[in-house]
Amino acid sequence: MTEQLKNTLARLLAQTELVVSEQQADQLVTLVTLLDKWNKAFNLTSVRDPLAMVGRHMVDSLVVSPYLEGSRFIDVGTGPGLPGLPLAIMNPNKEFVLLDSLGKRIRFIRMVIHNLGLTNVTAVESRVELYQPEQKFDGVLSRAFASLDDMVSWCAHLPKPEGRFLALKGQYPEQELQSLPAHLALDKVYPLTVPEQDGDRHLVIIKLAS
């Protein structure tokens, strides 16, 4: 299965402009293997087929990588570490905090951190509104929030003054952007292309209004 996973990852990445080293590819494949194994007991993702996880979880997370500006990021409602773990593998020089309120997800992430020898990831079990970091973040990432409104209100205390909210969305969220609070502004929207995946993908970047 490892060989199949490697080949699938290589095929999908070849359709992007992402450059992944052999070590990073091995780490991503190991992450899929661990997710598949733990998923059977802990129900971490509804995707059951490890080959499908490569596109829907690994590459879907990695396509955000070119848009990460800064050095310190938090992935809020990270679930089993998505998109945080793939992004941390891809960006060993950036620091990632992965936050989730569910103990079993955080236990899984800590096991992955240990297994892959990741030194740039911290897993935190907490509700987002209760988490008070000593240091603020350049980017607050999430693909978990139902609405931009929820994301920016619950995570308002996390970014630096010049930091950004990075929301991974499906379709372009026209309605949600119209109801943004006045102190926030749309910075950029990037359409994301995830090879061999159906449906729209967008990265919506929100900043403090000047």
Side-chain angles (χ1 to χ4, degrees):
M1 180 52 99
T2 303
E3 224 27 63
Q4 274 181 291
L5 290 170
K6 269 189 175 175
N7 292 340
T8 303
L9 180 64
R11 185 184 77 240
L12 295 174
L13 288 174
Q15 299 172 60
T16 73
E17 291 179 4
L18 298 166
V19 180
V20 174
S21 71
E22 198 165 330
Q23 185 196 1
Q24 288 169 328
D26 286 344
Q27 287 177 313
L28 290 162
V29 165
T30 303
L31 173 52
V32 171
T33 309
L34 293 169
L35 184 54
D36 178 47
K37 183 180 167 187
W38 275 56
N39 200 34
K40 292 175 172 69
F42 285 88
N43 201 22
L44 298 166
T45 166
S46 59
V47 182
R48 299 287 174 215
D49 175 8
L51 290 171
M53 287 178 189
V54 176
R56 283 177 62 183
H57 288 330
M58 299 306 120
V59 180
D60 190 80
S61 297
L62 292 175
V63 292
V64 177
S65 187
Y67 308 106
L68 297 183
E69 289 182 20
S71 59
R72 188 170 152 77
F73 297 87
I74 182 167
D75 177 10
V76 177
T78 186
L82 301 166
L85 285 172
L87 289 172
I89 289 168
M90 188 78 173
N91 298 277
N93 58 335
K94 298 184 192 294
E95 194 187 331
F96 292 84
V97 171
L98 275 52
L99 184 97
D100 202 277
S101 59
L102 218 57
K104 65 179 183 179
R105 293 173 183 159
I106 295 300
R107 282 199 296 282
F108 169 73
I109 293 166
R110 287 184 180 142
M111 181 274 303
V112 170
I113 292 168
H114 176 73
N115 268 35
L116 298 184
L118 298 175
T119 55
N120 61 331
V121 185
T122 307
V124 176
E125 183 183 339
S126 173
R127 293 171 61 93
V128 63
E129 61 272 29
L130 301 179
Y131 176 59
Q132 296 296 334
E134 285 174 29
Q135 229 185 322
K136 304 280 187 175
F137 297 92
D138 295 305
V140 178
L141 276 156
S142 187
R143 68 176 202 167
F145 277 96
S147 74
L148 289 174
D149 210 19
D150 284 351
M151 182 181 181
V152 296
S153 62
W154 291 355
C155 304
H157 59 297
L158 297 176
K160 296 175 181 174
E162 70 283 10
R164 298 286 189 267
F165 294 99
L166 294 88
L168 281 76
K169 306 294 282 183
Q171 292 179 317
Y172 184 83
E174 187 82 50
Q175 300 280 152
E176 293 177 41
L177 287 169
Q178 284 172 5
S179 63
L180 273 182
H183 68 285
L184 296 171
L186 176 63
D187 186 15
K188 296 184 185 80
V189 178
Y190 296 104
L192 300 173
T193 305
V194 185
E196 301 177 26
Q197 297 297 311
D198 294 333
D200 291 347
R201 301 266 195 305
H202 289 88
L203 175 64
V204 179
I205 302 181
I206 307 284
K207 63 178 181 180
L208 284 172
S210 47

